[in-house]
Amino acid sequence: MQAEPQILIHVGLHKCGSTWLQKQLFCRPDYGFSAPWGAMSHRAVTEFAALDPLCFDAAVSRAAFDAALHADRSDAPVAVISHEALSSRPHHGKYYAPYVADRLHQTFPRAKVLLIFREQTSIIYSLYGEYVRNGGQHSFEQFIGTGKEPPGWAPLCRLSFFEYDRLLQMYQDVFGAEHVLALPLELLKADPDAFTGRIFRFLDLPVQRPDTVRKSNTGWGALTVEGYRLTNGLVRMNPLGPSASWLFRARAALTRRLDRFVPRGWHMKLEGRRRDALNARIGDTFMHSNARMAQMVDIDLTALGYRLSTPPRLDPLHHAAPAYPAEQESLLSFGS
C-alpha cells in the first residue's frame, strides 16, 4: 500500500447512479480504485452524518479510515469513500450537506469530491419511489408540497435543495474548485466515455472504459409504488438495522415479482398524473440555477434535457478536455 493514496469522496446525489459507480468503478483495483470502507461506505454515514454533532472528532474518524486503508492490500492509488447520504437525504427531509462537508474536510483536507446530479423532475420523481420503498406513507402531493404551506411547515422534499449551483459552490468553497468534479447523470447515458473519462482524468488515472450497459437499481412502476405505500403502515422496516421480519421480506419479494409482471402501460396513467403535478409544482424554479450550473461544469445541460433561463453557448456535450467520439446510446437504467 502506498503511503498516501489520493482520497476521493463521492457524495451522491441519491438516485444518480451511485450503485453503478460503486460496482463498476470504485471496487476495481485494476482501474486504480479501492474502497476501504466498502463499495457503499456506510461507515462514512456513521462517522460524518448520523453521529451526534458534539461527538465528532476528525482525528478519530481519520484513524478509523486509516486502519481500514492499511488493511486493504490492493495498492490502488485512489481510495474511495462513497455514499449518497453524505450530501443529505432529501426524501427523508434531512438536509445537512454543509455540516458534513466541513467534517469531511477536517478529516481529509486534501481529498477530492465527486458530485453526480440529475435533472430535477427526474430525480424528484425517482426519490418518491425510494421514499416509499424506505417505508414512507405520504402521498405524492404531501411529499413534494404545494408551495402554500403555512409558516413553520415544509414538505419532506424541498425544491431549494435541487438548485445544484449552490450545492456545488458550497463544496468548491470548502475543498477548492479544482478539487471538486460535478457531472450530470444524463451524460453517462448520452456519452459514457465522456462521463467516465472526466472522472479518470480528474484523478490522474489512466482512462478506462467500464461496462455502462448493465442495469442498476431499476425503479418500480407507479402502481407498484402506490400499493407498497398503502401497506407501509402495516409492515414496517426495522429502524435499527437492515435485518427485517419475515413478513417484511415476503412483502418486498412479492412486490418485486409483481412489478416485473405488471405491463408497463398499466402504470402510465398514475405516472402521468404525478409527473404533471410535479411539473406544475416546479414550473420555472430551476431555470436560473441550471444556467449557472451549466457554466460551472462546462457542459451544455440543455442538450441533456435541463431547462435553462439562457442556454450557454456551448457545443452539445462540450468537454473541457478532448472529447471522445459519440457512441451508441447506453442501455443503462437509472430507475424511475
Side-chain angles (χ1 to χ4, degrees):
M1 172 65 66
Q2 64 187 49
E4 189 67 28
Q6 173 67 63
I7 307 298
L8 173 67
I9 305 173
H10 168 236
V11 296
L13 303 173
H14 284 275
K15 310 307 292 181
C16 288
S18 297
T19 302
W20 181 86
L21 286 165
Q22 290 156 0
K23 290 182 176 179
Q24 301 299 324
L25 284 187
F26 299 155
C27 280
R28 295 289 300 270
D30 55 325
Y31 287 174
F33 296 99
S34 69
W37 273 347
M40 181 181 287
S41 308
H42 297 290
R43 178 65 182 268
V45 178
T46 299
E47 294 288 337
F48 304 111
L51 82 170
D52 182 333
L54 298 178
C55 295
F56 172 69
D57 188 316
V60 171
S61 295
R62 183 61 195 245
F65 182 78
D66 286 345
L69 187 64
H70 293 318
D72 183 274
R73 301 188 182 279
S74 65
D75 285 333
V78 176
V80 183
I81 298 171
S82 173
H83 203 293
E84 58 267 34
L86 293 174
S87 59
S88 289
R89 283 178 163 149
H91 52 307
H92 292 174
K94 297 180 179 179
Y95 301 90
Y96 46 67
Y99 309 107
V100 171
D102 181 64
R103 294 168 192 158
L104 288 167
H105 186 257
Q106 289 183 52
T107 309
F108 308 104
R110 291 185 293 277
K112 291 187 174 183
V113 174
L114 175 63
L115 169 69
I116 310 298
F117 59 97
R118 180 177 176 180
E119 192 276 325
Q120 287 90 350
T121 57
S122 177
I123 190 174
I124 292 172
Y125 185 86
S126 188
L127 278 171
Y128 181 68
E130 186 72 8
Y131 160 75
V132 171
R133 290 172 72 162
N134 280 273
Q137 300 180 53
H138 292 321
S139 69
F140 188 67
E141 182 182 72
Q142 291 170 333
F143 180 72
I144 62 174
T146 64
K148 300 178 181 179
E149 289 77 23
W153 297 80
L156 287 177
C157 192
R158 302 174 191 173
L159 299 189
S160 58
F161 177 77
F162 303 94
E163 295 181 22
Y164 298 132
D165 64 309
R166 299 194 300 178
L167 187 64
L168 176 55
Q169 186 65 62
M170 183 275 295
Y171 283 113
Q172 290 181 342
D173 289 344
V174 174
F175 286 91
E178 70 278 12
H179 295 139
V180 180
L181 175 66
L183 293 172
L185 178 66
E186 293 80 7
L187 184 59
L188 178 56
K189 184 175 183 179
D191 192 344
D193 285 344
F195 181 93
T196 56
R198 283 198 176 204
I199 295 174
F200 286 115
R201 288 191 294 271
F202 175 61
L203 298 166
D204 297 319
L205 292 173
V207 174
Q208 308 287 343
R209 302 183 69 180
D211 177 14
T212 58
V213 176
R214 187 168 306 186
K215 293 183 179 181
S216 181
N217 201 20
T218 305
W220 291 343
L223 289 176
T224 307
V225 170
E226 183 63 9
Y228 204 77
R229 180 182 77 85
L230 294 174
T231 60
N232 274 339
L234 302 175
V235 184
R236 297 182 182 275
M237 296 182 67
N238 179 3
L240 301 180
S243 61
S245 69
W246 69 268
L247 183 59
F248 184 92
R249 296 195 304 272
R251 180 188 64 144
L254 178 61
T255 301
R256 288 192 295 269
R257 179 169 296 183
L258 288 174
D259 188 68
R260 289 196 295 267
F261 287 101
V262 174
R264 305 313 290 178
W266 291 14
H267 300 286
M268 291 180 63
K269 186 175 181 179
L270 177 57
E271 179 177 336
R273 289 202 304 267
R274 286 177 174 173
R275 290 191 183 275
D276 288 345
L278 181 57
N279 285 325
R281 173 76 174 92
I282 289 176
D284 296 336
T285 299
F286 302 114
M287 291 180 67
H288 296 302
S289 174
N290 286 344
R292 292 189 292 269
M293 194 68 173
Q295 297 295 337
M296 294 174 76
V297 301
D298 195 24
I299 296 174
D300 185 354
L301 297 181
T302 303
L304 297 174
Y306 292 72
R307 294 185 63 193
L308 278 65
S309 54
T310 304
R313 295 183 177 181
L314 300 173
D315 294 331
L317 301 182
H318 172 78
H319 314 298
Y324 291 92
E327 293 191 353
Q328 184 176 2
E329 184 177 282
S330 166
L331 298 179
L332 183 67
S333 172
F334 306 112
S336 60

